[in-house]
Amino acid sequence: MTTTTFETDLPRAERQRLTSELLAKAHTAEGEEQDRILEEVILLNAAVARSIAHRYTGRGIPRADLEQVAYTALVRAAKSFHPDRADDFLTYAVPTIRGEVKRWFRDHGWTVRPPRPIQELQSTLLRIGSERGHLPTSELAEIAHVPEQKVREALDARGCFTPTSLDAPLRAGEAHSSAEATIGDMLPAIDGGLADCETRLALEQAIHVLCPRDQLVVRLRFIEDRSQAEIGEAIGVTQTQVSRILTRIIDELREQLQGVGIAA
């Protein structure tokens, strides 16, 4: 009967001894008996998988997801392990689990996904930084055997896992206050002209459908800002007729714009 649970975390020596004994039995067992033994191995070493997953928390992926990836890799390692491959099960399993978690980050952890070469170079630079500390871009490029420009691109992509909040203060380390400028405050406002671009294009097309005289009336009234009397004199009609013509044109344009889904 299995008494071990996912929460079990035995001392390393005891865990290693029990795991080795169980794997030796699993190697000679078959069917349900083998499955039961491997389940015990998985439960004994779940804390190790969990520990590996927790090293990658705080980078934009929920801890529960990382744990699930690590547990899945642990199950795969237990089922594929053979005593001839390594004396210690974890010597085989830990790289497998770590590799799966890293692959998960590579495929799912980017809020903004840079090109794959940039992703891989960023991982290389992070490893170099952990081993040698902070280095100038030129030295990083020399160690990684890539141009300095590529190093800069990879370093600039560091925020793609967890982009900085637009509510973050401009000066790091200061508590947020209503009077304090944030990163979002520095972004340009929405350009009203750009927001109305679609409407303007649709209106331009609608005007082109009008007859030449109606197009002239539109130009005189709304572009040259002529009065109705001046427009009447230019096209040979009375001011009252100009008013009626303008009303009809506006109704026709409104109908055309509504026909393409734009409120007039």
Side-chain angles (χ1 to χ4, degrees):
M1 182 72 176
T2 298
T3 58
T4 310
T5 69
F6 269 127
E7 302 304 321
T8 301
D9 189 7
L10 298 175
R12 179 173 181 176
E14 184 178 358
R15 182 178 61 239
Q16 182 178 5
R17 177 182 60 79
L18 292 174
T19 299
S20 298
E21 292 175 359
L22 288 169
L23 287 172
K25 293 179 181 178
H27 184 56
T28 57
E30 296 180 354
E32 293 184 0
E33 177 65 13
Q34 185 182 63
D35 291 340
R36 185 193 64 77
I37 297 173
L38 290 178
E39 179 182 352
E40 186 77 10
V41 171
I42 293 166
L43 293 174
L44 274 172
N45 293 277
V48 176
R50 189 162 51 247
S51 175
I52 294 173
H54 290 180
R55 297 173 190 172
Y56 294 87
T57 57
R59 302 188 188 182
I61 293 183
R63 174 177 291 193
D65 290 353
L66 295 175
E67 290 179 353
Q68 188 62 44
V69 173
Y71 291 148
T72 301
L74 173 63
V75 171
R76 186 179 299 112
K79 292 184 176 181
S80 61
F81 179 78
H82 191 281
D84 294 340
R85 295 184 178 181
D87 295 333
D88 180 14
F89 170 67
L90 290 182
T91 302
Y92 170 77
V94 168
T96 300
I97 297 169
R98 187 183 296 120
E100 286 297 321
V101 173
K102 287 183 176 180
R103 273 188 288 274
W104 182 265
F105 262 100
R106 184 191 65 192
D107 297 333
H108 303 279
W110 302 90
T111 303
V112 179
R113 185 183 294 274
R116 178 60 60 80
I118 295 298
Q119 297 180 34
E120 295 175 349
L121 178 56
Q122 185 185 110
S123 296
T124 299
L125 296 178
L126 289 174
R127 176 179 54 78
I128 294 173
S130 65
E131 294 174 352
R132 308 194 184 190
H134 180 72
L135 295 174
T137 302
S138 57
E139 291 187 33
L140 286 173
E142 183 177 353
I143 296 172
H145 305 292
V146 295
E148 286 189 40
Q149 179 60 32
K150 293 297 182 182
V151 171
R152 295 191 188 95
E153 291 178 6
L155 294 178
D156 287 343
R158 282 176 295 187
C160 290
F161 276 126
T162 52
T164 303
S165 170
L166 295 181
D167 294 326
L170 286 176
R171 288 176 290 182
E174 295 187 359
H176 181 74
S177 66
S178 57
E180 172 183 301
T182 66
I183 294 176
D185 294 333
M186 303 303 294
L187 297 178
I190 296 175
D191 188 333
L194 291 176
D196 294 336
C197 183
E198 182 180 0
T199 301
R200 293 185 181 190
L201 290 174
L203 179 60
E204 182 179 352
Q205 294 299 319
I207 291 174
H208 283 316
V209 176
L210 299 175
C211 67
R213 192 185 73 163
D214 286 353
Q215 291 186 35
L216 175 61
V217 171
V218 170
R219 180 171 62 80
L220 293 174
R221 181 69 186 93
F222 298 105
I223 298 178
E224 298 184 10
D225 199 24
R226 301 281 190 92
S227 68
Q228 292 186 4
E230 291 174 331
I231 295 173
E233 184 178 350
I235 64 175
V237 299
T238 67
Q239 181 177 343
T240 301
Q241 289 174 310
V242 171
S243 177
R244 293 173 181 170
I245 291 171
L246 284 170
T247 300
R248 175 181 55 78
I249 291 173
I250 291 173
D251 288 341
E252 289 182 9
L253 292 176
R254 180 179 291 112
E255 183 178 353
Q256 291 191 55
L257 292 176
Q258 290 175 341
V260 295
I262 297 177

